[in-house]
Amino acid sequence: MLNIVLFGPPGAGKGTQSERIIEKYHLTHISTGDLFRKNIKEGTELGLRAKSFMDAGNLVPDEVVVGMVDDFLKHHRDAEGFIFDGYPRTTPQAEALDRQLENMGHPIAAMLSLAVPDEELKARLANRGKTSGRPDDQDPEKINNRISVYYRETQPVMDYYKAQGKYVEIHGLGDIEEIFSSISDAIDQLS
Ligand code: B4P
């Protein structure tokens, strides 16, 4: 079983690269952002709890996210491995993930961290906002808030994985397939 965290600021390309990773390595994809958007669309109680946080570009509270991931893992016990896309986003979430995987006997093998400059992130998100219909992509203030929240609450998660010797930085600027090739090289070195 291969478990990987795909990490990076908003708009770094986590969703974009996850699609390629799951196809090549047959991992099960868990995107907490996608799961929340699905719940919002379906009008579930979980979706209602998450919506106001997401629309403002803030993080959904840890206990809500961790509970949702617990549930997902329980329903995917036969997976060959997981790509965690957008989770963990806080140090308490990283600690929770270690506990969740301890129960399954397969810890995180690596955190692949996409490095992209802020100006490029803002341009990508504003561009996606033209067609995505996502409230958090459409307003420059919300985009700026998401990037600030990333530096304040999410970036410390890097140190958590650096301390475990699992941190791998990936240059995230440029051609999507070239970035995927760097990711593939990093994954191939793990197995
Ligand atoms: P997410 O859904 O995780 O999304 P994201 O950060 O917006 O984007 P991602 O990095 O996946 O970007 P993408 O590939 O799409 O989070 C949304 C919200 O959900 C959060 O703000 C938060 O409120 C909540 N949430 C989710 N997880 C949470 C958690 N664990 N805890 C608390 N709250 C949580 O790429 C963006 C754009 O760039 C796309 O248009 C893409 O086509 C383009 N692009 C990608 N790679 C490119 C490249 N190399 N060159 C040019 N463009 C590129």
Side-chain angles (χ1 to χ4, degrees), residues 13-16 32 37 58 60 86 89 93 128 134 146 174:
K14 301 183 291 290
T16 305
T32 41
R37 280 185 289 276
N58 292 320
V60 178
R89 259 177 158 96
Q93 289 182 21
R128 185 173 65 186
R134 280 177 54 172
R146 287 163 70 191

Side-chain angles (χ1 to χ4, degrees), residues 32-94:
T32 41
D34 285 352
L35 285 177
F36 284 130
R37 280 185 289 276
K38 180 169 178 280
N39 275 277
I40 290 171
K41 206 170 161 195
E42 291 169 355
T44 67
E45 200 187 318
L46 181 73
L48 284 176
R49 288 185 75 185
K51 189 173 181 344
S52 60
F53 296 100
M54 288 181 74
D55 285 356
N58 292 320
L59 295 183
V60 178
D62 286 339
E63 67 275 13
V64 179
V65 188
V66 171
M68 180 175 75
V69 173
D70 257 338
D71 195 50
F72 184 93
L73 294 176
K74 274 183 201 137
H75 286 91
H76 292 83
R77 287 187 195 280
D78 53 355
E80 288 179 36
F82 293 95
I83 178 92
F84 293 93
D85 163 3
Y87 179 81
R89 259 177 158 96
T90 64
T91 303
Q93 289 182 21

Side-chain angles (χ1 to χ4, degrees), residues 123-148:
R124 286 184 191 177
L125 294 174
N127 192 40
R128 185 173 65 186
K130 291 177 195 159
T131 53
S132 67
R134 280 177 54 172
D136 58 345
D137 283 348
Q138 280 167 2
D139 174 347
E141 261 184 48
K142 288 179 185 171
I143 291 176
N144 286 341
N145 183 46
R146 287 163 70 191
I147 294 173
S148 305

